[in-house]
Amino acid sequence: MQDSAADTHDLPVVIIGAGPVGLAAAAHVRERGLIPMVLEAGDSVAAAIRTWGHTRLFSPWRYNIDEAARRLLEAGGWQEPDLNVLPTGHELVDGYLVPLAEGLHDVIRTDSRVVAVSREGIDKTRSANRDATPLLVRIARPDGSHEDVHARSVIDASGTWSQPNPLGRSGLPAPGEHRAAAQGLIAQPLPAVNGTDRERFAGRHVLVVGAGHSAANTLLDLAELAEDVPETRISWAVRSADVSRTYGGEADDELAARGALGSRLRTLVESGAVDVHTSFVISGFEATGDRLRVLATGAAGPEDLTVDVLVPATGFRPDLSILSELRLEMDPAVEAPRRLGPLIDPEFHSCGSVEPHGEQVLSHPEPGFYIVGMKSYGRAPTFLMATGYEQVRSIAAALAGDRAAADAVHLDLPETGVCSADFGASCDASDEPQLVTVGGPAPSSSTCC
């Protein structure tokens, strides 16, 4: 065990997650002369994005490329794409993240799931010599073995994709929810409705639950499928009294693709192609043969809806269990770092922009530990990759001792064209990623981020 601050500083900066923000963190850390080590639970970089790779982002390339990553890539001869084009998830991976991972060489370790972060030899109750004691990152491998890695700092960019919000009320799974999911009656979020998952939805009665961007995209994809297979029936359920919030800022949105999503969805709903259920609070699920009975309470009392498959679009939440031995200071409502929480709480703030924030806002009582990217937003929506890129730039500067650069945070994000003050409360929940389809139907489905 290293027992001096000098020894601790010779250790790597461990970054959890090899998605866009995690790889950007590695680029910034390396550029600052520090040693990055990226631990990815999947068998390849950007494993989570690959599951929704058919989805098209609603932010163009100009918002999706980190500056330190750009410098590293261009040094190797990489040619940037058209900055005004909206990439799909697969295009983001193949055209940017895979080349970035190759440029980072051997700092990325896949099949390395982080199951705990602590301090070497001490738990969270021990204060003596804590700052000079290395952080300990425990890794679980597919073969069941474990490995402990020492770190001078840990940046958690693991996202929230693996932990969707439950469908039941009070933030809890509804009775029968887990069983219905195990039986395949509840799909994964963001299915490839017009791609690999087509047979699961064609000619079926599909219920989409949720009021965010991913719900909108799934509904639009299902409408495209229904044009080809008219027997396909679409229902949409939200907890709010109406669905207008999901339409967002439309023409006032500074991201045209995000605004177009709301406009297209409004047109679809007004056409009567979607059976809308408002004030719909799910109380339970029952399997009836190969169909799913959804029990709920609506505005007029109990409701009962039987469908072939349900697509959840109720957002995601962070998994904080791996951090239980660290001294964290979290916002009690949205489970974001305490100083960031009030800036992004969807009950009071739904704008696309957020006050610029960096290392100071993201710091915890645990020295050298940070949560960044989508996970830093906890249960709140409206996260864009550009936010995460500025977060990790500031953190890398602080770790390198450049306090002035760490504190000089800049963030210019496009407005949604609507804030929660315009319509009271927030939508059902956050989404990861935030999705959109631009223009007419696209072969690669929807849009995000």
Side-chain angles (χ1 to χ4, degrees), residues 3 10 67 98 182 205 220 234 250 267-268 273 283 351 368 386 395 411 420 431:
D3 58 1
D10 291 336
E67 288 305 310
V98 168
H205 183 186
L220 290 168
I234 309 167
E250 301 191 61
T267 299
L268 179 66
S283 57
C351 305
I395 290 169
L411 194 60
S420 57
D431 292 314

Side-chain angles (χ1 to χ4, degrees), residues 24-363:
H28 281 281
V29 166
R30 169 177 278 188
E31 195 171 69
R32 285 286 180 172
L34 306 177
I35 304 169
M37 177 189 293
V38 182
L39 302 176
E40 166 60 43
D43 60 5
S44 65
V45 299
I49 294 180
R50 293 175 192 272
T51 65
W52 52 265
H54 56 281
T55 304
R56 190 171 297 280
L57 282 68
F58 58 51
S59 55
W61 274 110
R62 68 174 65 256
Y63 290 107
N64 302 326
I65 301 173
D66 171 74
E67 288 305 310
R70 184 197 303 275
R71 290 189 287 270
L72 188 156
L73 286 164
E74 289 179 342
W78 176 78
Q79 297 294 313
E80 74 177 14
D82 184 336
L83 296 181
N84 295 315
V85 168
L86 303 167
T88 65
H90 287 316
E91 290 166 349
L92 181 72
V93 172
D94 296 337
Y96 172 57
L97 298 177
V98 168
L100 178 55
E102 292 171 350
L104 290 166
H105 301 302
D106 57 355
V107 308
I108 302 169
R109 299 172 58 175
T110 56
D111 289 320
S112 299
R113 179 176 297 279
V114 174
V115 294
V117 183
S118 185
R119 291 274 176 187
E120 173 57 40
I122 59 177
D123 63 17
K124 73 190 302 180
T125 66
R126 173 81 176 271
S127 297
N129 206 37
R130 193 171 189 88
D131 290 11
T133 302
L135 285 153
L136 181 148
V137 182
R138 178 157 294 172
I139 304 166
R141 301 198 173 281
D143 64 3
S145 63
H146 289 77
E147 177 187 358
D148 288 346
V149 172
H150 292 165
R152 61 166 290 171
S153 180
V154 173
I155 300 174
D156 185 350
S158 58
T160 58
W161 179 256
S162 63
Q163 191 149 303
N165 283 323
L167 291 160
R169 60 187 179 183
S170 305
L172 304 173
E177 182 171 338
H178 293 313
R179 178 177 295 181
Q183 292 175 309
L185 298 172
I186 298 177
Q188 293 296 310
L190 297 179
V193 171
N194 293 296
T196 56
D197 297 321
R198 178 184 170 91
E199 293 305 313
R200 188 175 188 183
F201 300 100
R204 305 292 186 88
H205 183 186
V206 184
L207 172 64
V208 178
V209 179
H213 291 102
S214 60
N217 276 275
T218 300
L219 290 164
L220 290 168
D221 285 349
L222 286 167
E224 180 185 343
L225 176 61
E227 290 180 1
D228 189 45
V229 185
E231 297 80 13
T232 305
R233 181 181 168 192
I234 309 167
S235 293
W236 179 22
V238 298
R239 292 177 184 169
S240 55
D242 63 69
V243 297
S244 60
R245 296 174 192 163
T246 307
Y247 304 146
E250 301 191 61
D252 293 330
D253 196 317
E254 291 183 2
L255 280 180
R258 187 169 56 190
L261 173 67
S263 297
R264 291 185 62 210
L265 181 60
R266 180 192 293 275
T267 299
L268 179 66
V269 170
E270 291 177 351
S271 75
V274 177
D275 179 26
V276 179
H277 298 259
T278 56
S279 302
F280 193 87
V281 180
I282 296 175
S283 57
F285 295 100
E286 295 178 359
T288 58
D290 59 355
R291 306 192 77 205
L292 179 66
R293 185 182 178 209
V294 184
L295 308 176
T297 300
E303 291 193 35
D304 187 323
L305 184 62
T306 299
V307 300
D308 294 301
V309 61
L310 183 152
V311 179
T314 51
F316 300 80
R317 59 181 59 177
D319 178 6
L320 300 175
S321 63
I322 66 171
L323 311 177
S324 62
E325 286 303 322
L326 298 179
R327 296 179 175 182
L328 304 183
E329 202 167 58
M330 306 295 287
D331 180 88
V334 297
E335 294 181 315
R338 183 184 63 81
R339 297 176 187 86
L340 179 58
L343 305 180
I344 59 174
D345 189 332
E347 190 163 353
F348 307 104
H349 177 94
S350 66
C351 305
S353 61
V354 63
E355 182 178 323
H357 62 278
E359 189 271 344
Q360 287 199 37
V361 169
L362 297 168
S363 64

